[in-house]
Amino acid sequence: MTRLNRDAIMAKNSNFHKAKRAKKDEFYTQLYDIENELRHYRAHFRDKVVYCNCDDPRVSNFFHYFAYNFRLLRLKKLITACYKNQQMDMFSQNDAERAIWLEYTGTENETAIPDVEDIGVRHLQGDGDFRSAECIELLKQADIVVTNPPFSLFRDYVAQLIEYDKKFIIIGNKGAISYREIFSLIMEGKLWVGNTSMGRDLLFDVPADYAEYLVQNKKEGSSYKIVDGVVKGRSPSIWFTNLDHKKRHEEMRLWKRYTPEEYPKYDNYDAIEVSKTNDIPMDWDGAMGVPISFLDKYNPEQFDLLGKDTQFVDKLGKFYINGKRKYERLVIRNKCLQT
């Protein structure tokens, strides 16, 4: 194979992977999942400006949820913006590709359902990228940001929210917990897991061509599921927030007692292995290694989060028991047993 052909193939593969990555960023959150999570934050929304900055209002259920529940939530204002959105048919017959942003401050009609006249539609000068100067100006108006941001830009997205000191409820890949930047925020108490269980499947609406790709190339039940004949993208996704919710303060009931047989120590770190969150011993006051799913039940008043396995050991950043490497672990300590 000539170098020219090899370079052409590499360029083609690179473009293919970029296209796949872009499609994965077009995962549209189901209304049921939005309602199920956001009902736990209703008190936070009163008299607030909500910004959904990654949301095409033609297909965004975030826009649908906030617009139709504007009175119930007693919102002050709803702003939405999206990346390179074609103008909505409901607002314009123009098919030119232009990024837009919408502003909604409620409706006076009896049904409380917004119509075209109620929603201010404005054109953006740029492409609607959340990092652009004009979208940052919209962000500055917001009290709370709620959306499903592009997974491929999750680090940048969260960093921007922290930089501008915004409250947020967003969806991200579960693997983002392991990102150094994200885990640091969890350690600092600046970000935590939402109310929805980390073990619950989140399914997403996907573009027709990507749905076809999933069926032809991926395994059903793993990358997608078919619900009522419709292909839904599946992703190991969870909610992240910095808004307080009741579940975060629920005390975990501990019932098991420590035995060296059931809770062996790691070869390379002075802590015991707890393979299931529900098996945390009630009487162990030292360090414990627990699964990442512990964050689902993490109450900062009950437990100290000391760090992640990679912060304590060098060899591949993992803990070992009898020479066998363990899966990713968090290190915690029972705060109630400390003197």
Side-chain angles (χ1 to χ4, degrees):
M1 180 183 297
T2 67
R3 178 176 178 178
L4 182 61
N5 289 338
R6 184 167 59 250
D7 290 346
I9 292 173
M10 289 177 65
K12 183 177 180 180
N13 288 340
S14 176
N15 291 336
F16 174 72
H17 289 305
K18 287 180 181 177
K20 281 207 300 182
R21 196 159 54 241
K23 288 299 181 184
K24 287 182 180 179
D25 284 343
E26 290 187 65
F27 274 36
Y28 301 111
T29 315
Q30 297 186 114
L31 184 60
Y32 170 80
D33 290 321
I34 294 171
E35 293 173 335
N36 188 53
E37 180 67 22
L38 298 192
R39 64 190 177 90
H40 299 282
Y41 307 88
R42 284 184 180 175
H44 292 289
F45 290 121
R46 184 170 182 169
D47 297 324
K48 296 297 191 298
V49 176
V50 171
Y51 183 30
C52 305
N53 58 348
C54 299
D55 294 273
D56 180 340
R58 295 172 304 175
V59 292
S60 170
N61 283 319
F62 286 101
F63 171 80
H64 179 99
Y65 175 82
F66 285 114
Y68 281 71
N69 290 284
F70 195 90
R71 284 187 184 177
L72 175 66
L73 298 173
R74 300 186 181 185
L75 293 179
K76 181 179 180 180
K77 185 190 295 185
L78 170 64
I79 303 172
T80 68
C82 62
Y83 182 70
K84 283 189 177 179
N85 176 48
Q86 285 193 334
Q87 295 178 49
M88 296 171 56
D89 290 340
M90 66 179 286
F91 298 127
S92 172
Q93 298 303 311
N94 191 336
D95 293 328
E97 186 173 294
R98 289 280 301 278
I100 62 171
W101 66 279
L102 310 180
E103 182 177 81
Y104 179 58
T105 55
T107 178
E108 297 300 325
N109 66 55
E110 293 181 0
T111 64
I113 297 175
D115 55 31
V116 176
E117 287 73 26
D118 297 318
I119 301 175
V121 183
R122 297 170 172 82
H123 298 295
L124 291 167
Q125 295 299 313
D127 58 12
D129 190 309
F130 68 86
R131 297 163 294 187
S132 66
E134 55 186 342
C135 285
I136 289 175
E137 288 304 310
L138 294 176
L139 175 66
K140 289 177 180 178
Q141 299 181 40
D143 298 302
I144 305 173
V145 177
V146 187
T147 193
N148 178 4
F151 285 2
S152 63
L153 298 173
F154 193 74
R155 290 181 178 89
D156 292 344
Y157 188 83
V158 173
Q160 185 187 81
L161 295 177
I162 298 299
E163 178 183 355
Y164 289 94
D165 193 26
K166 297 301 174 181
K167 297 297 184 183
F168 56 86
I169 312 167
I170 59 176
I171 292 176
N173 191 286
K174 192 182 301 183
I177 291 171
S178 298
Y179 298 166
R180 178 177 55 82
E181 303 90 339
I182 302 302
F183 190 72
S184 292
L185 294 173
I186 294 174
M187 287 281 295
E188 295 167 13
K190 296 180 179 179
L191 176 153
W192 45 85
V193 171
N195 188 85
T196 302
S197 170
M198 291 174 64
R200 184 182 175 280
D201 256 358
L202 289 185
L203 301 179
F204 301 87
D205 295 317
V206 296
D209 54 346
Y210 191 64
E212 183 179 354
Y213 165 81
L214 290 173
V215 172
Q216 292 180 355
N217 297 277
K218 298 296 181 178
K219 184 178 179 181
E220 184 176 357
S222 177
S223 296
Y224 71 94
K225 288 186 178 181
I226 298 178
V227 180
D228 297 329
V230 178
V231 176
K232 303 283 186 178
R234 180 183 177 275
S235 170
S237 302
I238 59 175
W239 293 88
F240 292 93
T241 186
N242 60 354
L243 285 172
D244 209 9
H245 55 81
K246 183 178 178 181
K247 180 181 174 182
R248 187 167 177 256
H249 302 283
E250 292 176 353
E251 185 171 339
M252 185 178 172
R253 295 186 64 182
L254 308 178
W255 60 279
K256 301 195 75 169
R257 292 191 177 275
Y258 167 78
T259 64
E261 293 77 24
E262 187 170 1
Y263 301 99
K265 284 196 171 185
Y266 297 114
D267 301 343
N268 54 339
Y269 185 67
D270 186 16
I272 62 170
E273 159 73 1
V274 181
S275 59
K276 297 179 181 178
T277 299
N278 288 335
D279 290 344
I280 294 174
M282 61 187 295
D283 54 348
W284 180 260
D285 63 357
M288 299 173 275
V290 295
I292 293 289
S293 57
F294 163 80
L295 291 177
D296 216 8
K297 298 184 177 181
Y298 173 40
N299 175 349
E301 296 146 13
Q302 184 179 12
F303 294 100
D304 286 317
L305 179 58
L306 304 179
K308 196 167 164 290
D309 48 12
T310 52
Q311 297 173 270
F312 298 100
V313 294
D314 295 328
K315 187 179 180 182
L316 298 177
K318 302 296 180 186
F319 293 151
Y320 283 75
I321 293 179
N322 297 325
K324 187 175 181 179
R325 187 173 68 174
K326 304 303 294 183
Y327 195 64
E328 195 169 34
R329 291 290 185 260
L330 303 179
V331 179
I332 65 168
R333 185 171 52 202
N334 190 328
K335 183 181 289 188
C336 303
L337 297 179
Q338 305 308 306
T339 56

